[in-house]
Amino acid sequence: MRVISKISALLLVICMAVLFTGCGDGSGTSAPGTASAEKVKINIAALKGPTGIGMARLMEQDEKGETANDYNFTVSGAPDDVTAKLINGEYDIAAVPTNNAAMLYNKTDGDIKMLALNTKGVLYMLDSTGSIKSVADLRGKKIYATGKGSTPEYVLSYVLSQNGIDPERDVEIEYLSEHAELATYIAAGTAQIALLPEPNVTTVLSSNENVKIALNMTEEWDKIAEKESDGSILTMGCVVVRSEFLESNKKAVDAFLKEYQASINYTSEHLDETAQLCEKYEIIPKAEVAKKAIPNCNIFFASGEDMKNYTDNFFKVLYSYNPASVGGKLPDDGIYYVK
């Protein structure tokens, strides 16, 4: 009887131990090896405008608690502020202009890496004269543009020169400092031919029915790339990560990339919903404008070797016009996160 009693007592202790282990302490954490793991917190910066559009669906999913990680999003209209906070560690991942990724990589000696491309070209040549049907028609014309000393200037110069037009002699180019200022100029008829990015293009087209899209600069770049067989694309937006964060949180970053790709795919498949989310998260001020602009924003996703192949020659083009545009030297392959 005593032996049976001791065995019974031992079984009772074991059962209670199992019971309390299963219940946990109510803190929401799990013991090592259990199925439920604590989410990794990732601070992410998205820019207003085209490069932030692909984040919209992911923002909504995070708000609903449906994401693999705990994302803390900041939407900013100032690329310089984003890059500064990325460098000092306030952001772990950020959407930035593609050439900024090269600049950051060189400036930090490899502390910033590219994760994926998110936007092709968003530049369009607008015309109110009806005379521009091809790049050749720009010869002898006055072109208004923005982005002096940055990607828009180099894209314009590259497309012109590759079509036999000397940007210094064969056309007159006047640069304004702000997209909104130029949008007002062409909408009012002060400028007749202008190079502008989305969503400013949509704003102008909605304001003046005489203004039309004459040239899609992404398509013009593709024509040159096909002729040169260099495999490059015009890519104006990407996402980058701090190398230190990536090394410590590779699984979390891989999960982000998977969810981010799904968010970008959602953009093209659910235009109305994405437009509403862009307004909600202040990526584009009005859903109505977003709905019209998104199809022209060339939102897409490319990572790994595809990202590298698309971007290598793009960096070379920028470097050939101004080495400072990519940080003074061409980045090596270490800039790319390839699994």
Side-chain angles (χ1 to χ4, degrees), residues 30-36:
S30 303
T34 59
S36 178

Side-chain angles (χ1 to χ4, degrees), residues 66-319:
E66 298 173 351
T67 52
N69 301 303
D70 177 16
Y71 301 124
N72 177 31
F73 288 101
T74 300
V75 178
S76 174
D80 290 345
D81 182 59
V82 170
T83 56
K85 291 181 178 179
L86 184 67
I87 291 172
N88 69 25
E90 291 184 53
Y91 297 139
D92 305 308
I93 292 173
V96 299
T98 306
N99 71 300
N100 279 22
M103 296 172 69
L104 286 165
Y105 179 77
N106 285 326
K107 182 177 181 178
T108 63
D109 295 323
D111 286 345
I112 303 295
K113 288 182 178 290
M114 284 179 63
L115 288 175
L117 300 175
N118 62 23
T119 315
K120 293 183 182 180
V122 297
L123 294 170
Y124 294 85
M125 190 69 69
L126 300 182
D127 172 37
S128 63
T129 69
S131 63
I132 308 301
K133 307 297 182 183
S134 68
V135 176
D137 294 330
L138 292 171
R139 185 183 298 273
K141 300 294 193 298
K142 181 172 184 177
I143 303 169
Y144 287 83
T146 56
K148 178 70 174 174
S150 62
T151 299
E153 179 188 0
Y154 310 135
V155 170
L156 178 57
S157 296
Y158 179 66
V159 169
L160 289 173
S161 60
Q162 290 294 311
N163 281 274
I165 299 175
D166 187 330
E168 299 293 331
R169 299 179 181 179
D170 298 332
V171 293
E172 180 184 354
I173 305 174
E174 181 173 335
Y175 286 95
L176 303 184
S177 59
E178 299 291 336
H179 300 324
E181 181 185 13
L182 180 50
T184 301
Y185 266 47
I186 191 163
T190 305
Q192 293 181 315
I193 301 171
L195 183 70
L196 266 178
E198 282 286 13
N200 303 86
V201 169
T202 293
T203 302
V204 172
L205 297 180
S206 299
S207 303
N208 188 336
E209 62 181 12
N210 294 321
V211 179
K212 308 295 182 185
I213 292 177
L215 300 172
N216 179 335
M217 301 303 279
T218 304
E219 292 179 357
E220 297 304 324
W221 184 290
D222 288 345
K223 291 175 186 177
I224 298 166
E226 184 177 356
K227 183 175 67 175
E228 300 294 328
S229 300
D230 66 10
S232 70
I233 63 170
L234 173 55
T235 170
M236 298 183 69
C238 68
V239 286
V240 298
V241 63
R242 291 191 297 109
S243 298
E244 181 182 3
F245 182 85
L246 173 62
E247 291 167 6
S248 302
N249 300 278
K250 185 178 181 300
K251 287 184 178 180
V253 172
D254 288 344
F256 161 78
L257 281 174
K258 184 177 180 180
E259 292 181 322
Y260 184 44
Q261 182 175 11
S263 181
I264 285 177
N265 291 341
Y266 180 92
T267 297
S268 61
E269 297 165 1
H270 300 85
L271 180 57
D272 289 341
E273 294 87 347
T274 301
Q276 293 294 332
L277 291 174
C278 284
E279 178 177 330
K280 176 181 179 180
Y281 296 114
E282 300 182 354
I283 297 169
I284 294 177
K286 297 294 182 181
E288 181 182 358
V289 174
K291 183 177 178 179
K292 294 178 180 178
I294 288 171
N296 288 336
C297 288
N298 293 312
I299 309 302
F300 86 125
F301 180 92
S303 61
E305 289 293 339
D306 286 340
M307 167 181 60
K308 178 183 180 301
N309 293 336
Y310 290 149
T311 313
D312 271 351
N313 279 305
F314 174 69
F315 285 153
K316 289 177 182 177
V317 169
L318 296 185
Y319 179 83

